[in-house]
Amino acid sequence: MTAVESGMICAVAGQCQRDMRGWAAEYPGLFSAKPFDAALYSTLSLAMAFSGPWFDAKQLRMANKVCLWAFGLDWLVDYVAASPEEAEGVTRRSLAVAGGAPPVPGDDLTRMLADIRDELAASPSFPALGPVWREELRSMLEAMLLEWRWKTEGRRPSFEEYLGNADNLGFSFAFTSHWIHTSGPPAAADVDRIREASRAVQRVIRLLNDLGTYERDVSWGDLNALLLGATRPEVERRIAALAARSRELIAPLRPDHPEIAGYLERQMDFCAGFYHVGDYWGAL
């Protein structure tokens, strides 16, 4: 990649970052905590722009908006909810709004989700992919609740249980939103193949995230693969195997869905570099 190409991508990321800052101001109840700092908006925007350098800021808008919403959701479930009722209430309200209910008055989480839902519903691919979007949201919310219970009950899952709960990362939900926003109605036969590739990439990113955020996870009291009996070399070997499988699933998508295939692979590779150095969250 040339410096000129990098400059163009960074310019798109800058436009996306301004969008993110605008959403943070529009939904202040969701993004007022200290860890939502300027670097979080910047690095999330860069992740999307470098993962899809053929997209402009308008095309990346939904990926950015949903990813940011998922960070707000994660904060509410992981660090704000003080009881099972509170954590489950977040899930219940979100699923209701995704299904068409109005947002809860005074609740920026459901207000932002309702705006996302309405924007996606205008896409020509939503009739086919709307049920997939709601299913991915449910999977993410249920996985977040399961991890919340593991932590609050003091239970350490096995490494395989933890990896099997990778939906709590939210990648596949955010990707599905981007897919709806940037693609036409898919062929029915392609939906399962694309979803399988997305979920494979999600598992890779789940473990890459754990390698990069170990120190923060220890200090914040989060679960992490390295806290579940797996050594760093073992996790790295598992990442390599999962990444190889992801590329096998992505390769057949390239002829008919080159942008989707490229975006999935570049997301995975961007995270491999990013988590080698840093993290998205700011300090508590």
Side-chain angles (χ1 to χ4, degrees), residues 70-71 73-75 77-79 136-148 150-151 157 161-174 199 202-203 205-207 209-210 217 222-224 281:
F71 268 72
L73 169 71
D74 184 56
W75 177 257
V77 173
D78 271 6
Y79 305 106
E136 291 292 354
L137 175 62
R138 180 181 294 276
S139 295
M140 178 180 66
L141 290 165
E142 290 177 350
M144 284 184 172
L145 275 179
L146 178 57
E147 180 158 319
W148 187 90
W150 283 339
K151 291 194 300 182
E161 285 178 305
Y162 176 76
L163 183 58
N165 200 47
D167 284 327
N168 76 320
L169 185 71
F171 172 82
S172 289
F173 173 62
R199 298 176 81 79
Q202 180 171 250
R203 288 189 289 273
I205 298 175
R206 169 73 282 170
L207 295 183
N209 175 286
D210 283 5
D217 289 340
D222 281 348
L223 289 177
N224 184 294
W281 288 105

Side-chain angles (χ1 to χ4, degrees), residues 12-118:
V12 170
Q15 294 170 339
C16 294
Q17 184 181 354
R18 291 190 178 101
D19 285 342
M20 284 200 178
R21 297 300 294 266
W23 296 324
E26 187 176 354
Y27 309 102
L30 196 53
F31 304 113
S32 59
K34 185 180 175 183
F36 291 97
D37 63 4
L40 183 143
Y41 304 120
S42 175
T43 51
L44 282 179
S45 299
L46 286 165
M48 304 308 165
F50 273 94
S51 294
W54 44 85
F55 293 123
D56 61 25
K58 289 182 180 179
Q59 292 170 307
L60 290 170
R61 170 185 171 85
M62 191 53 63
N64 284 310
K65 192 169 188 177
V66 174
C67 187
L68 185 62
W69 180 83
F71 268 72
L73 169 71
D74 184 56
W75 177 257
L76 290 181
V77 173
D78 271 6
Y79 305 106
V80 176
S83 68
E85 292 76 19
E86 288 184 28
E88 291 164 4
V90 170
T91 295
R92 186 171 56 254
R93 296 194 306 273
S94 298
L95 289 174
V97 167
V104 177
D107 177 18
D108 280 350
L109 180 77
T110 54
R111 188 163 66 89
M112 186 174 182
L113 181 60
D115 290 343
I116 290 168
R117 176 202 66 199
D118 292 347

